[in-house]
Amino acid sequence: MTRNQLDDLISQGEHTRLEFKRTLSSAYRIARTLAAFANTSGGTLLIGITDSGKTVGVVSEFREIDKIEEATDRLVEPSLVVSYETLAPDGRLVLSITIPESSEKPHYVLDESGKRTIYVRAKDKSVPTNKLIITPEMADRELLKSPMARTLIQYLRKNDHITADKFAKLINISDYRAGKLLRQLAERGLLILIDKPRPVRYALKLAE
């Protein structure tokens, strides 16, 4: 990755497929982010970058990589394979971690007590859910052209998630039908389901 490519990436700000970390506080916490990327659409983790996008660098790349490897090998089940790249813009060390969308999902994250939880990406957050709908392929283009889907996508580009009752009001249908449609769109790969905590919510899965 060149300096210009890194600058372009940082300028996007955090989103479904990109997260910044000044430094890694613990393997347990970063395991959630790594698993969420793998369970959703893949992504890139930049370490040595503040939440606002400022490059501060890391003190030790080995200390950060140790936490990543503990997370991928011990705290995520099944374990994850990620790739590393070291960058040094202005002499400050930045780590770029690439996490592909996994073919072995769902990946569970172990917490300090040994409890297993699935995490997914919703906008720029890694959030827990009880179940993951596995889709064989991305939503087809005809589905995305429907007025209902366009309205939904526009709403979810501005909001983190949507519930069935909110969707029902948005397109003027019953709560039951709205819930059924949202579930179908999740099964087709357009949405990701989040059911912790209740009520059930849906977030946009497709990368923008």
Side-chain angles (χ1 to χ4, degrees), residues 9-66:
L9 199 57
I10 292 171
S11 70
Q12 296 175 19
E14 294 182 307
H15 55 72
T16 309
R17 304 190 70 235
L18 180 64
E19 180 149 329
F20 305 149
K21 293 289 184 187
R22 177 188 287 268
T23 186
L24 301 184
S25 58
S26 77
Y28 285 101
R29 294 191 66 178
I30 202 58
R32 301 171 192 170
T33 301
L34 300 176
F37 279 139
N39 280 333
T40 311
S41 302
T44 300
L45 172 66
L46 294 178
I47 309 171
I49 308 292
T50 66
D51 288 345
S52 62
K54 181 181 178 182
T55 302
V56 293
V58 297
V59 175
S60 168
E61 63 181 292
F62 302 108
R63 189 181 305 160
E64 307 297 333
I65 288 174
D66 276 349

Side-chain angles (χ1 to χ4, degrees), residues 7-180:
D7 288 344
D8 288 344
L9 199 57
I10 292 171
S11 70
Q12 296 175 19
E14 294 182 307
H15 55 72
T16 309
R17 304 190 70 235
L18 180 64
E19 180 149 329
F20 305 149
K21 293 289 184 187
R22 177 188 287 268
T23 186
L24 301 184
S25 58
S26 77
Y28 285 101
R29 294 191 66 178
I30 202 58
R32 301 171 192 170
T33 301
L34 300 176
F37 279 139
N39 280 333
T40 311
S41 302
T44 300
L45 172 66
L46 294 178
I47 309 171
I49 308 292
T50 66
D51 288 345
S52 62
K54 181 181 178 182
T55 302
V56 293
V58 297
V59 175
S60 168
E61 63 181 292
F62 302 108
R63 189 181 305 160
E64 307 297 333
I65 288 174
D66 276 349
K67 290 173 186 169
I68 291 285
E69 291 184 342
E70 182 183 359
T72 58
D73 298 347
R74 191 174 71 82
L75 302 178
V76 178
E77 297 178 348
S79 60
L80 289 176
V81 176
V82 301
S83 58
Y84 305 86
E85 187 175 359
T86 304
L87 311 162
D90 304 328
R92 287 169 289 192
L93 197 64
V94 173
L95 284 175
S96 173
I97 315 296
T98 301
I99 307 96
E101 181 174 354
S102 176
S103 60
E104 295 183 276
K105 56 177 125 171
H107 291 269
Y108 292 82
V109 177
L110 294 174
D111 66 15
E112 291 87 343
S113 66
K115 182 182 176 184
R116 299 163 82 241
T117 304
I118 299 171
Y119 283 84
V120 293
R121 290 291 286 186
K123 286 280 191 176
D124 59 350
K125 299 178 180 65
S126 299
V127 297
T129 186
N130 283 317
K131 64 183 75 171
L132 185 67
I133 297 174
I134 307 298
T135 53
E137 56 190 45
M138 297 293 270
D140 60 71
R141 296 298 142 191
E142 288 306 311
L143 172 66
L144 301 185
K145 290 176 184 175
S146 72
M148 175 196 67
R150 287 204 304 268
T151 300
L152 179 62
I153 290 169
Q154 286 171 1
Y155 179 87
L156 288 174
R157 281 179 174 158
K158 297 175 183 175
N159 300 274
D160 288 349
H161 50 72
I162 195 167
T163 58
D165 63 333
K166 181 69 180 178
F167 186 44
K169 292 182 178 68
L170 191 66
I171 62 172
N172 195 28
I173 60 174
S174 70
D175 287 6
Y176 171 79
R177 185 160 175 242
K180 187 175 179 180

